[in-house]
Amino acid sequence: MSFYTISLGLLLWSHEEEIGTLSLAMRKPYSRENCLAIALSFTLVLLYYTYQSSSVRGSKDASGIFRGSGFLPAYGTSLSGLQIATSDRSGTEPPIEKATSGAFRTATMNVEKMSISKALIVASLTSDDTQWLHEYFPQWTRFIYKVDNASARLTVPRNKGREWSAYLSYIIDNYDRLPEVSVFLHGERYQWHNEDPMYDGVLMISKLRLEHVIEQGYANLRCTHAIGCPVELRPLDRSMLSTYSRDRTQAVYARSLRELEPNITVPSAIGVPCGSQFGLDRSTIRSRPKSDYVRYRKWLYAADLDDEISGRVLEYAWHIIVGKDGVHCPTASTCFCGLYGLCDLACSDVGSCQGRFKLPKYAKMPVGWPEDGPGRDGWPESRWWETL
């Protein structure tokens, strides 16, 4: 745009007679130099707002590090050479991309991403710190449900099924005014199942290729197969019965899926990456009538299943409900490339790529992560991928 603006200034400069006429009509002395100065000033303004469109104004946190959605810190390190390439499909180094000559293409992709209407649907507890969603993603519409607070601005009729009461309530309440892409996730920034080497939700969401979600209709935010793939449940196998949550889920899964979808044939194997975080496009949601989602929520509240098991049933039934096969486990390389634009990763097997994810020993993140906790109690070291 700056090229055309400067051209406009030069054009005005070369038409001194017309400028003089304009000056008389407006009673202002618009000389050739004035016009060129105006054009250059306008160029600077355009460049400023172009930058702002891909880099949200940030602020310094308690550690003095600048934080904004355009340039993000690598877990407390400096910003030198750091760039979040949300849709750049060129060569990358996990977990972030170094600034290269492809920056213009990245900015173009960011503009395309901004043109897609999008929303974050967040199932959170009152104790969850959700400020990161406001800080890093102001360009998204945010639906932050407080499932344990009946007086919250966004809440649920009943807190059951973990995140699923919030997810279903969002679809029911917004069915007629859905954005093009809805991304469903949990409230805390750092979660063990986030698809990022240090489990950072900011970096995960920043890299999302929304056009891929639209192409696929449904996209699980996890690419690494552990846990959930290739097979998590065998609903027709009654041999594994225990108090372990997977076995408890398997024991009730077939009956529950038939209650959710009476005409369905229960698959013999169920597999999908765990975590209950995913993206849906508008047409996929609306491929079912609103009444179906109302029915799913009624089932959730009425089912004789506890919070954990009812949530796990929906976690491993949802991909089927939205039209995928019983086992929906895209290869890690295909997922990383399509969903996050990371297309040059070294992937030694179908379920993982080098330097992208380590399955931790525990599900609860250490307090103070990532400043505190890395390298202890089974949690990976900071920047562990650099030693591979």
Side-chain angles (χ1 to χ4, degrees):
M1 286 186 293
S2 59
F3 170 80
Y4 293 111
T5 306
I6 294 172
S7 298
L8 175 60
L10 293 174
L11 180 64
L12 292 173
W13 194 6
S14 64
H15 286 71
E16 183 175 9
E17 182 177 349
E18 287 83 356
I19 294 170
T21 303
L22 178 63
S23 299
L24 290 173
M26 298 185 68
R27 299 180 185 277
K28 290 185 179 181
Y30 283 91
S31 67
R32 292 181 298 178
E33 290 77 13
N34 291 148
C35 290
L36 184 56
I38 291 170
L40 290 174
S41 299
F42 188 45
T43 298
L44 292 175
V45 171
L46 284 176
L47 289 174
Y48 173 78
Y49 281 102
T50 298
Y51 170 76
Q52 289 290 7
S53 69
S54 60
S55 178
V56 179
R57 296 170 188 149
S59 59
K60 289 186 178 181
D61 61 11
S63 63
I65 298 173
F66 180 87
R67 299 186 181 273
S69 69
F71 291 87
L72 305 175
Y75 319 113
T77 61
S78 71
L79 292 174
S80 177
L82 180 61
Q83 176 188 6
I84 296 301
T86 57
S87 300
D88 193 347
R89 298 168 67 89
S90 61
T92 57
E93 291 184 15
I96 54 179
E97 290 72 49
K98 293 180 178 179
T100 68
S101 59
F104 177 77
R105 176 174 55 183
T106 300
T108 303
M109 292 292 189
N110 282 337
V111 171
E112 293 174 356
K113 183 174 180 178
M114 290 177 64
S115 68
I116 298 174
S117 60
K118 54 195 178 292
L120 295 171
I121 296 83
V122 183
S124 69
L125 299 172
T126 302
S127 59
D128 290 344
D129 181 3
T130 57
Q131 183 57 35
W132 64 281
L133 297 160
H134 302 279
E135 182 177 357
Y136 291 102
F137 303 107
Q139 72 274 32
W140 291 66
T141 303
R142 298 168 303 280
F143 295 82
I144 302 176
Y145 287 82
K146 298 293 184 182
V147 298
D148 59 343
N149 183 356
S151 61
R153 187 179 67 85
L154 281 179
T155 188
V156 292
R158 182 180 174 188
N159 182 17
K160 184 184 178 186
R162 296 187 168 181
E163 59 279 308
W164 289 97
S165 186
Y167 290 178
L168 290 169
S169 294
Y170 163 79
I171 294 175
I172 293 167
D173 295 342
N174 296 278
Y175 187 87
D176 296 323
R177 54 179 182 275
L178 293 166
E180 292 173 85
V181 174
S182 297
V183 174
F184 299 77
L185 68 158
H186 301 158
E188 290 285 2
R189 172 176 175 176
Y190 295 98
Q191 315 244 2
W192 75 266
H193 49 71
N194 281 349
E195 194 60 84
D196 177 75
M198 294 298 282
Y199 319 108
D200 191 347
V202 169
L203 296 179
M204 178 180 70
I205 300 300
S206 296
K207 286 182 172 69
L208 269 182
R209 296 184 61 245
L210 302 183
E211 60 270 33
H212 180 76
V213 178
I214 293 173
E215 291 168 3
Q216 297 298 313
Y218 160 87
N220 195 301
L221 299 191
R222 276 186 59 74
C223 295
T224 304
H225 284 191
I227 301 169
C229 287
V231 175
E232 176 71 5
L233 303 174
R234 296 190 182 277
L236 306 182
D237 183 358
R238 304 287 295 177
S239 62
M240 293 191 303
L241 298 177
S242 71
T243 58
Y244 181 48
S245 61
R246 181 176 64 186
D247 295 344
R248 292 171 60 212
T249 304
Q250 180 167 288
V252 301
Y253 184 89
R255 168 175 63 87
S256 300
L257 187 59
R258 291 190 187 102
E259 291 171 353
L260 288 163
E261 289 295 323
N263 298 321
I264 201 169
T265 298
V266 178
S268 60
I270 303 296
V272 70
C274 73
S276 292
Q277 298 190 126
F278 51 87
L280 286 174
D281 82 316
R282 180 167 52 206
S283 62
T284 298
I285 295 176
R286 289 183 179 168
S287 65
R288 289 183 171 277
K290 179 179 177 179
S291 58
D292 279 3
Y293 301 103
V294 173
R295 179 165 53 83
Y296 300 148
R297 192 172 67 177
K298 287 182 177 178
W299 173 87
L300 174 62
Y301 294 162
D304 59 344
L305 304 173
D306 62 26
D307 178 73
E308 178 186 10
I309 300 305
S310 60
R312 283 180 61 84
V313 165
L314 283 170
E315 177 179 4
Y316 288 102
W318 190 253
H319 64 290
I320 299 173
I321 287 173
V322 296
K324 302 299 183 181
D325 294 334
V327 174
H328 181 65
C329 299
T331 65
S333 60
T334 299
C335 177
F336 276 118
C337 184
L339 187 58
Y340 295 111
L342 302 175
C343 299
D344 292 333
L345 300 177
C347 303
S348 58
D349 57 62
V350 297
S352 63
C353 293
Q354 186 174 359
R356 292 308 307 173
F357 184 82
K358 276 190 176 183
L359 185 66
K361 185 177 180 180
Y362 303 104
K364 184 175 177 57
M365 298 296 300
V367 176
W369 184 273
E371 287 77 17
D372 297 325
R376 300 198 303 266
D377 299 326
W379 292 95
E381 297 277 357
S382 295
R383 308 190 71 83
W384 60 269
W385 56 90
E386 294 181 348
T387 64
L388 300 177

